[in-house]
Amino acid sequence: MLTLQNQSQLALTHVRSALARRLGQLPRGRAWEAFAARLDHHFPRLFAELAGLYGQRPDFVPFLEELVLTAWQGWQARPAELRAQDAQREADADWFQRQTMLGGVCYVDLFCGNLQGVIDQIPYFQELGLTYLHLMPPFKCPPEHNDGGYAVSSYRDVNPALGTIDDLRELAVALRKAGISLVLDFIFNHTADDHEWAQGAVRGDPARKDFYYLFDDRSQPDAYEKTVREIFPDEHPGAFSQLPDGRWVWTTFHSYQWDLNYGNPAVFTAMAGEMLAIANLGADILRMDAVAFIWKRLGTACENLPEAHALIRAFNALCRIAAPGLLFKSEAIVHPDDVMKYISPQECQLSYNPLQMALLWNTLATREVNLLQQALEERHTLPAGTAWVNYVRSHDDIGWTFADEDAIRFGIHGFDHRQFLNRFYVNRFPGSFARGVPFQDNPATGECRISGTCASLAGVEQGDLHAVQRVLLLHSVVLSTGGIPLIYLGDEVGTPNDHRYLEDPAKAGDSRWVHRPERVDALYAQREDTGTVAGRIHQGLLRMVRVRAAHAAFAGNALTGFGTGNGSVLGYQRGLPAQPVLCLANFSEHPQHCPAIVFSALPEAATDLLQGQRHPLRGGITLKPYEVLWLDLAGAAAAG
């Protein structure tokens, strides 16, 4: 029996022969030589991942031939400047680990009007220090029910309200010249129901009929739903929606988002072509949407299956061949153990950090740092060549994704604690400073998630005395714990909830639109005026961004926990051993003292990088309400 390696070598020989046959002969020139070298290097990994998914099919080798042809066509179409950038990033694989990396995210229409408006905002992005800009999906989608762009009608066209595909290319070039990496979504779990593939499947087109999960009756859907959970129970029960002709289609999310059937290898090839087209527009990073759901297997939850990881690794290997400078960022809002499984140089080099995000809000509500400190010390470390994307909140809701087994170590019962957090953040708990809105409130299960801008959840909306400090505190943690910090644009000037979404029938049923407000020009006009809330937030955030960018201690992911001796004060060190910085954050509205004993192994005094104030350590430190300190221990040792 042939080994996997021998099978791979044999398949590669077939693939090369097929390419020569399809193209008349194998190409010549530097472009082909570079492609062929990467094909030889990465094909064994691509083969291994795909063999586990499709290797028993009689059409497996022809599938590989078509896939590699797709990769070659993608490489041929790749602009010269992107090929040059590929070479630079292959030589500097940790380019995204620098402390100067700072992300922003926005909806094009809500923040900039259209794609030309994004170009106009580049000077502001540079003022803020952005080196990474994630645009919510700008692709063509249904005009009304489109899940904020996550129901894609065509990956090759831009939403006409935003501009054209040429505008998107122009924007990518302008961002690249400004030193800002463009991040776009690869929405590969589903398409919109009006996508040409979906319409072909409904008509019974032989080339498309197996692109989706279509069933004539409820027998198979009922079998799957014995083990599959509901994601959007407010909209439709279960995981399937019925078509007008009586058939049922798999719709994990909204009824107009049809799940793609990756059991059909033609779907993988088709989506590979779409992925490379997006990469060739000038995207530096692809946000891999809904990664947990992309493979289905009867009798399972159809989430986080091994085959899902194999699919992503196969897409990754294909990119190393045809777009080697491209990075993947996983969006997996699941159990912390499962989040980690998507992160590796061979799968997703970047990952959202949903645990840290959820625990930041948990810590604000409880004033206890226990779960957040535990997460930093036990769940923060990542493989080499990867990084977290840390964020205070996103375009999505806030779900309480901490692990129950972590919580019980502190005597915290997970279900009950989530109920408390839900009540607290929708202002159903006495003394709450938050003004959030429930999302997918399910009375039958008691489950709920939270919508709201950072400002409204932190107390700005109700004029709370400590609201500005809370906003800055949250951002200080995402800026100082490693990886790429991500700011939802608008939060940096304290934009509150926008309830006008209720006036739009297409949005009124989705409370997440409350925290997707339009850019408020009046707040941006105040951003330099520290007599305003917007100015205090913006200037405080800018100070942290600039300090971080100037200190190599904040590069990379490495972090060491620091016990502060106070249950309301978070502590950790960055830059060990050469450039140590001790970060302390008081999550209470009261002054909190950290005793002298916890600083006994440190220098006698250290200077706060943020305010320039020198702090003696031998007598301990008292932090003001919601105060943050970044103590320069390297400078203190040198001074001593």
Side-chain angles (χ1 to χ4, degrees):
M1 180 178 292
L2 291 175
T3 66
L4 188 64
Q5 181 179 4
N6 289 336
Q7 292 176 48
S8 172
Q9 291 173 342
L10 187 61
L12 181 56
T13 299
H14 281 292
V15 163
R16 282 178 168 273
S17 297
L19 273 178
R21 185 173 63 254
R22 296 280 291 271
L23 301 174
Q25 63 178 6
L26 284 180
R28 296 179 181 179
R30 300 174 73 177
W32 168 255
E33 290 170 2
F35 178 84
R38 292 196 304 271
L39 178 63
D40 290 345
H41 182 72
H42 295 289
F43 185 83
R45 184 162 65 89
L46 178 66
F47 178 89
E49 300 297 349
L50 293 174
L53 300 173
Y54 310 120
Q56 301 306 310
R57 294 177 59 104
D59 59 353
F60 180 53
V61 172
F63 153 66
L64 291 174
E65 294 169 358
E66 189 69 27
L67 182 62
V68 172
L69 178 62
T70 298
W72 166 242
Q73 292 168 338
W75 174 247
Q76 276 189 307
R78 194 155 174 79
E81 60 270 25
L82 294 180
R83 292 186 188 181
Q85 182 174 271
D86 288 335
Q88 292 172 358
R89 289 184 172 170
E90 285 183 293
D92 181 19
D94 290 335
W95 63 272
F96 58 90
Q97 302 272 15
R98 296 190 179 98
Q99 75 274 14
T100 52
M101 288 297 294
L102 176 67
V105 56
C106 67
Y107 281 90
V108 172
D109 55 338
L110 297 176
F111 193 78
C112 307
N114 54 35
L115 291 168
Q116 287 296 324
V118 181
I119 295 176
D120 295 340
Q121 287 296 324
I122 287 177
Y124 171 69
F125 299 149
Q126 292 176 304
E127 172 194 321
L128 187 56
L130 298 189
T131 58
Y132 160 127
L133 180 65
H134 177 195
L135 300 180
M136 292 286 99
F139 302 109
K140 185 178 179 182
C141 59
E144 291 189 352
H145 298 292
N146 56 48
D147 192 26
Y150 282 91
V152 176
S153 304
S154 170
Y155 300 90
R156 306 293 180 116
D157 298 292
V158 163
N159 181 347
L162 305 180
T164 68
I165 200 74
D166 288 333
D167 291 332
L168 185 54
R169 288 193 186 94
E170 180 186 350
L171 169 60
V173 171
L175 289 171
R176 190 158 53 251
K177 288 180 179 178
I180 300 174
S181 295
L182 175 61
V183 185
L184 294 174
D185 285 81
F186 182 42
I187 303 163
F188 69 127
N189 176 72
H190 49 261
T191 72
D193 58 3
D194 68 347
H195 193 286
E196 64 173 350
W197 299 346
Q199 293 303 300
V202 169
R203 293 193 304 267
D205 180 349
R208 304 298 182 207
K209 68 182 182 66
D210 293 327
F211 265 48
Y212 303 88
Y213 297 89
L214 282 166
F215 301 102
D216 292 332
D217 56 41
R218 281 292 308 182
S219 57
Q220 280 293 96
D222 287 343
Y224 276 108
E225 286 185 350
K226 290 179 180 178
T227 53
V228 171
R229 68 185 173 108
E230 295 177 333
I231 302 299
F232 287 158
D234 282 3
E235 181 180 307
H236 63 83
F240 296 84
S241 299
Q242 192 169 26
L243 303 183
D245 63 11
R247 286 183 293 175
W248 294 85
V249 60
W250 199 312
T251 56
T252 293
F253 301 107
H254 295 288
S255 59
Y256 49 81
Q257 291 169 307
W258 291 11
D259 287 37
L260 288 161
N261 174 18
Y262 281 97
N264 175 4
V267 171
F268 184 92
T269 302
M271 286 305 295
E274 305 307 292
M275 176 184 69
L276 294 178
I278 296 170
N280 287 348
L281 289 171
D284 298 278
I285 298 167
L286 295 185
R287 175 190 178 274
M288 308 295 281
D289 182 60
V291 293
F293 301 93
I294 57 176
W295 192 270
K296 327 295 189 193
R297 184 166 10 108
L298 190 63
T300 74
C302 296
E303 295 183 41
N304 303 303
L305 295 176
E307 295 90 342
H309 294 279
L311 276 173
I312 301 168
R313 291 192 297 267
F315 278 123
N316 181 305
L318 194 73
C319 276
R320 303 286 70 74
I321 296 169
L326 191 71
L327 299 182
F328 287 176
K329 176 177 65 171
S330 73
E331 187 254 349
I333 314 302
V334 291
H335 188 284
D337 290 343
D338 291 318
V339 171
M340 296 295 292
K341 294 174 183 176
Y342 292 94
I343 308 170
S344 76
Q346 293 74 40
E347 194 160 340
C348 294
Q349 300 93 340
L350 302 173
S351 173
Y352 284 106
N353 194 348
L355 177 62
Q356 183 183 98
M357 181 275 296
L359 292 182
L360 282 169
W361 294 106
N362 168 79
T363 308
L364 270 192
T366 64
R367 285 75 163 179
E368 294 180 352
V369 302
N370 46 15
L371 285 172
L372 182 55
Q373 187 77 45
Q374 176 195 60
L376 290 177
E377 295 178 3
E378 299 180 12
R379 294 190 178 275
H380 183 81
T381 301
L382 290 180
T386 66
W388 288 117
V389 174
N390 293 316
Y391 60 112
V392 169
R393 63 99 173 182
S394 72
H395 73 288
D396 249 331
D397 54 280
I398 297 173
W400 309 113
T401 57
F402 59 84
D404 286 359
E405 60 269 28
D406 290 348
I408 201 64
R409 288 160 57 185
F410 299 103
I412 299 170
H413 186 273
F415 180 83
D416 293 342
H417 192 61
R418 290 182 179 90
Q419 302 303 301
F420 155 70
L421 292 170
N422 289 332
R423 293 194 303 272
F424 186 93
Y425 278 105
V426 298
N427 192 28
R428 298 173 186 168
F429 189 86
S432 172
F433 49 75
R435 296 296 181 266
V437 178
F439 175 70
Q440 294 294 320
D441 201 353
N442 190 338
T445 63
E447 294 181 356
C448 173
R449 304 196 294 276
I450 303 299
S451 297
T453 68
C454 178
S456 290
L457 295 177
V460 171
E461 186 173 317
Q462 68 148 332
D464 186 275
L465 173 66
H466 299 293
V468 170
Q469 290 93 331
R470 290 193 193 98
V471 172
L472 294 176
L473 171 73
L474 293 171
H475 284 90
S476 79
V477 177
V478 302
L479 282 163
S480 61
T481 48
I484 302 174
L486 183 62
I487 299 169
Y488 192 97
L489 294 176
D491 285 353
E492 81 278 21
V493 291
T495 308
N497 285 342
D498 184 354
H499 293 276
R500 289 177 299 173
Y501 80 97
L502 293 169
E503 301 168 9
D504 184 344
K507 297 178 178 178
D510 186 344
S511 70
R512 292 174 300 177
W513 287 105
V514 81
H515 60 232
R516 301 167 181 172
E518 293 183 15
R519 173 189 167 96
V520 181
D521 289 336
L523 293 178
Y524 281 90
Q526 298 170 0
R527 68 183 185 274
E528 296 181 0
D529 181 359
T530 55
T532 66
V533 168
R536 288 166 60 200
I537 291 174
H538 195 269
Q539 293 303 306
L541 185 60
L542 271 185
R543 183 185 302 113
M544 290 188 288
V545 166
R546 291 167 180 170
V547 168
R548 174 180 179 268
H551 289 83
F554 296 107
N557 287 303
L559 176 151
T560 302
F562 183 88
T564 66
N566 185 309
S568 293
V569 179
L570 186 70
Y572 47 94
Q573 293 189 75
R574 300 296 316 283
L576 292 176
Q579 300 169 308
V581 172
L582 173 61
C583 301
L584 302 174
N586 177 11
F587 275 80
S588 166
E589 65 268 52
H590 305 292
Q592 298 292 331
H593 184 73
C594 300
I597 192 171
V598 302
F599 304 105
S600 58
L602 301 183
E604 292 188 1
T607 299
D608 175 29
L609 294 172
L610 295 173
Q611 302 296 338
Q613 182 178 351
R614 192 161 177 80
H615 291 266
L617 303 180
R618 287 292 173 259
I621 290 181
T622 299
L623 283 84
K624 301 170 190 172
Y626 299 109
E627 185 176 17
V628 173
L629 299 176
W630 292 354
L631 298 174
D632 180 11
L633 301 182

